[in-house]
Amino acid sequence: MKTLMLGMAMVILFPACLRAAPAKPALEVVVLGSGGPRAFGRAGSSYILVVEGRPRILVDAGPGAFVRIGELHLDLGKVDTVLLTHPHIDHSGDLAAFFNARALTSDGPIVYRVFGPDGAGLFPKTSRFVDLLVGGDGAFAYQKTFGARETFTGRDLAISLDSARTKIVDEDGLVVEEIATHHGDCPSVAYRISYKSVVVVFSGDMDASALTNLVQLAKNADLLIFNCAVLDPPGSPPQLYDLHTPPKKIGEAARESGVKSLLLSHLAPDVEGQEDAVRKSIRASFAGPVEFASDKLRVPVGK
Ligand SMILES: [Zn+2]
């Protein structure tokens, strides 16, 4: 019934998408986790991108992603590309568990590509992060011998805000681009995924100082998934504004980038309880459809 209700919600909120959607949309986002660092029933941030009906890309791997993959009976057989927005635990805590799940459903060798930000301060670069998990001296070194033969390649993405927007995947019509964002002291990037002229953008966690980059990356996207972890000031603890973008500015960014629809995710308990106020704040700038994510929500993107 829950699935039906969610499906109905999407009919109401993304009517154009659904009316024209074929049985297998070119692109579909499956929300594995719509929450953030607090444990209150939502899995940490994580998404599976489905291309032509087949799961292909994992975006973040927050705690709980492993459980949601199983609940949804997702076929991970072609999910070899992982995009990490940043290395905070609520976005990466289930990465090793994902490798485990993928290997146990595979017959042949697996070659993973893991993209994520370069390192800074207490945060390792992404290639080192992967090595610390499943490298030769990693905590889960055994994983390479468990289920399937696995090879891991990490690619570290520039984190300076003046770094150029970069194309990191371009194969069989599937294109992934990224750009640096800013999330307090934690290195972070945002991703734009395109397939057959359909575009979805993932903001990751970011504060408002990176909005110029995000607006550029999200230009004319069909769907922008923006992490909404704070209320407009002064509704949330002051220090959180150094880490997250408030709703009013999310709405402005959505309008400036010309995106067609907005999905708010990474929801915190106080935001979850203030949906009407958040929607109203975004409405002040952005006229397109606005929806709040929930775990296991499936969102067909574009035409
Ligand atoms: Zn987060």
Side-chain angles (χ1 to χ4, degrees):
M1 191 61 194
K2 189 179 179 192
T3 306
L4 179 63
M5 289 303 289
L6 291 171
M8 290 171 66
M10 297 313 298
V11 170
I12 294 164
L13 292 158
F14 293 86
C17 304
L18 278 198
R19 270 202 308 272
K24 288 182 182 174
L27 275 186
E28 181 184 33
V29 174
V30 179
V31 180
L32 299 179
S34 58
R38 291 171 189 267
F40 68 109
R42 296 174 186 264
S45 286
S46 186
Y47 310 87
I48 288 276
L49 195 83
V50 179
V51 181
E52 303 276 16
R54 192 95 200 254
R56 290 286 301 278
I57 296 176
L58 177 71
V59 181
D60 281 345
F66 177 88
V67 173
R68 300 292 181 248
I69 286 168
E71 289 173 339
L72 290 163
H73 305 291
L74 291 175
D75 171 11
L76 300 180
K78 291 286 183 190
V79 186
D80 304 328
T81 302
V82 178
L83 308 176
L84 296 178
T85 61
H86 65 292
H88 275 158
I89 294 168
D90 58 318
H91 298 253
S92 63
D94 258 10
L95 185 57
F98 161 75
F99 292 144
N100 184 31
R102 167 79 174 87
L104 290 177
T105 57
S106 182
D107 297 328
I110 306 168
V111 180
Y112 291 104
R113 300 179 294 188
V114 184
F115 298 90
D118 202 354
L122 292 174
F123 300 96
K125 58 187 179 183
T126 297
S127 56
R128 171 83 177 132
F129 182 85
V130 172
D131 231 32
L132 288 166
L133 289 177
V134 292
D137 295 322
F140 308 114
Y142 84 97
Q143 173 60 33
K144 284 183 178 171
T145 66
F146 196 75
R149 192 152 48 83
E150 294 162 273
T151 307
F152 300 87
T153 55
R155 175 150 165 211
D156 309 318
L157 307 173
I159 56 174
S160 168
L161 275 179
D162 58 6
S163 307
R165 169 176 166 174
T166 303
K167 187 185 290 184
I168 55 174
V169 173
D170 187 355
E171 56 192 25
D172 304 325
L174 186 63
V175 174
V176 182
E177 297 169 273
E178 60 83 28
I179 199 165
T181 59
H182 193 266
H183 182 41
D185 64 345
C186 184
S188 60
V189 298
Y191 295 99
R192 175 186 178 103
I193 302 172
S194 315
Y195 182 73
K196 288 189 174 175
S197 305
V198 177
V199 178
V200 57
V201 171
F202 295 85
S203 74
D205 288 5
M206 54 172 280
D207 59 68
S209 71
L211 281 175
T212 302
N213 279 9
L214 194 277
V215 165
Q216 184 215 122
L217 188 74
K219 216 66 178 165
N220 299 322
D222 295 280
L223 175 65
L224 170 59
I225 300 179
F226 210 119
N227 291 3
C228 185
V230 293
L231 299 167
D232 285 323
S236 296
Q239 65 272 20
L240 290 185
Y241 295 109
D242 294 332
L243 294 167
H244 297 288
T245 304
K248 179 170 178 290
K249 290 187 180 295
I250 291 175
E252 292 169 359
R255 183 195 61 212
E256 284 175 38
S257 56
V259 299
K260 297 185 183 66
S261 59
L262 190 57
L263 182 67
L264 304 175
S265 193
H266 193 283
L267 303 172
D270 53 346
V271 173
E272 188 180 50
Q274 295 286 328
E275 285 195 7
D276 288 347
V278 170
R279 198 185 295 274
K280 188 176 173 194
S281 179
I282 287 173
R283 274 276 165 269
S285 301
F286 179 66
V290 178
E291 179 55 281
F292 291 80
S294 56
D295 291 13
K296 300 195 278 186
L297 183 69
R298 304 184 76 118
V299 186
V301 185
K303 301 91 184 158

